[in-house]
Amino acid sequence: MSRGLENFKVVLLGEGCVGKTSLVLRYVEDKFNERHISTIQASFLMKKISIDGKRLQLSIWDTAGQERFHALGPIYYRDSQGAILVYDITDMDSYHKVQDWVRELRRMLGDNIVLAIAGNKSDLSANRVVDCTTAQQYAEEVGAFHFETSARLNEGVEELFLDLSRRMLAVSATQQQQQQHSSSGGLQLTDDDDQINNTSKRACC
Ligand SMILES: Nc1nc2c(ncn2[C@@H]2O[C@H](COP(=O)(O)OP(=O)(O)OP(=O)(O)O)[C@@H](O)[C@H]2O)c(=O)[nH]1
Ligand SMILES: [Mg+2]
């Protein structure tokens, strides 16, 4: 980590063809490809951003959605500060797959990871099968936040990554405070956790 630049590892998980690669490519390079080229294992991209004058670097791991790669998941989500679980709003199976990932991540990492759920392909809302409000409520129940996105039209993508980054920054600040307090022998409760939980109630639909 270079001086003054905090690094956050973010992993994208979700069924094949839901648009994980497309979301990353749109966010990092502002590109979109109509063709589906299945990711093999995973690919990696970095992006530097500034939030409220604080510089941070996102190391983004875009994983393969095909079932045969599922077992590789832990290699990529281990040590991640944030995960984006992607489904396609026109594909119910992909939404159920997100729920499987949430269970696995909570079991393996507990609350040590910020979870974002992205309902992608919002431009295909005529073929929607996943109700946005239901997905939003589910996200709240599992301590995640939910966005609808269209990598194709570049809608909601910047907001998704920005919101995730803010939350990872908040968690990191809280952890640093706790470390300082424990190393100084004191214990002081802060409101930061409440702030994170309260902002997770933001609407998306
Ligand atoms: N209409 C629409 N199509 C999209 C959108 N995002 C991605 N696609 C299309 O969906 C297909 C799959 O996109 P990818 O980004 O390759 O999907 P993936 O989740 O990375 O797939 P795997 O690498 O196999 O896991 C491609 O044909 C994309 O052009 C979107 O927001 N709207
Ligand atoms: Mg891909």
Side-chain angles (χ1 to χ4, degrees), residues 17-22 33-34 36 39 65 120-121 123 151-152:
C17 208
V18 293
K20 300 178 295 298
T21 301
S22 302
N33 188 352
E34 293 286 349
H36 175 210
T39 305
N120 190 42
K121 308 195 186 179
D123 54 291
R152 188 167 202 262

Side-chain angles (χ1 to χ4, degrees), residues 170-188:
V171 169
S172 159
T174 306
Q175 285 171 347
Q176 281 170 22
Q177 265 180 11
Q178 283 168 350
Q179 273 167 14
Q180 277 165 11
H181 286 136
S182 60
S183 62
S184 65
L187 181 65
Q188 192 180 328

Side-chain angles (χ1 to χ4, degrees), residues 1-204:
M1 184 175 81
S2 61
R3 198 176 158 80
L5 189 66
E6 200 169 349
N7 188 60
F8 291 97
K9 184 176 162 190
V10 174
V11 64
L12 279 92
L13 298 161
E15 207 169 76
C17 208
V18 293
K20 300 178 295 298
T21 301
S22 302
L23 284 170
V24 177
L25 271 187
R26 174 60 85 188
Y27 181 58
V28 177
E29 296 179 4
D30 198 14
K31 287 182 184 154
F32 180 74
N33 188 352
E34 293 286 349
R35 281 183 53 216
H36 175 210
I37 302 165
S38 280
T39 305
I40 304 299
Q41 293 199 2
S43 68
F44 172 76
L45 279 173
M46 279 205 309
K47 178 151 171 129
K48 289 179 185 165
I49 58 171
S50 282
I51 296 180
D52 304 331
K54 194 164 171 52
R55 293 173 66 230
L56 49 137
Q57 177 169 275
L58 302 179
S59 303
I60 306 171
W61 285 93
D62 165 30
T63 67
Q66 287 174 23
E67 194 54 38
R68 65 191 168 112
F69 293 116
H70 183 104
L72 299 179
I75 295 172
Y76 301 105
Y77 65 63
R78 202 175 47 200
D79 303 331
S80 289
Q81 284 79 42
I84 301 177
L85 311 174
V86 187
Y87 68 92
D88 170 349
I89 66 159
T90 71
D91 177 355
M92 188 57 83
D93 284 348
S94 72
Y95 177 64
H96 292 145
K97 181 77 188 178
V98 159
Q99 297 178 320
D100 292 345
W101 278 118
V102 168
R103 272 189 291 273
E104 177 167 341
L105 289 169
R106 287 295 185 223
R107 190 175 68 242
M108 302 302 287
L109 304 173
D111 289 333
N112 292 327
I113 185 163
V114 181
L115 296 187
I117 298 176
N120 190 42
K121 308 195 186 179
S122 60
D123 54 291
L124 301 180
S125 60
N127 301 325
R128 169 194 292 281
V129 294
V130 182
D131 176 57
C132 183
T133 310
T134 308
Q136 173 89 33
Q137 280 167 358
Y138 168 73
E140 281 175 23
E141 281 164 23
V142 295
F145 68 100
H146 177 260
F147 268 92
E148 285 209 344
T149 54
S150 170
R152 188 167 202 262
L153 301 183
N154 195 9
E155 286 175 357
V157 181
E158 183 82 29
E159 292 84 345
L160 168 71
F161 280 93
L162 197 62
D163 206 53
L164 178 69
S165 303
R166 281 190 198 284
R167 287 162 197 274
M168 293 190 301
L169 264 177
V171 169
S172 159
T174 306
Q175 285 171 347
Q176 281 170 22
Q177 265 180 11
Q178 283 168 350
Q179 273 167 14
Q180 277 165 11
H181 286 136
S182 60
S183 62
S184 65
L187 181 65
Q188 192 180 328
L189 296 175
T190 72
D191 291 335
D192 290 4
D193 288 343
D194 283 347
Q195 276 172 17
I196 295 164
N197 287 335
N198 287 339
T199 48
S200 77
K201 297 199 174 81
R202 239 176 63 180
C204 70

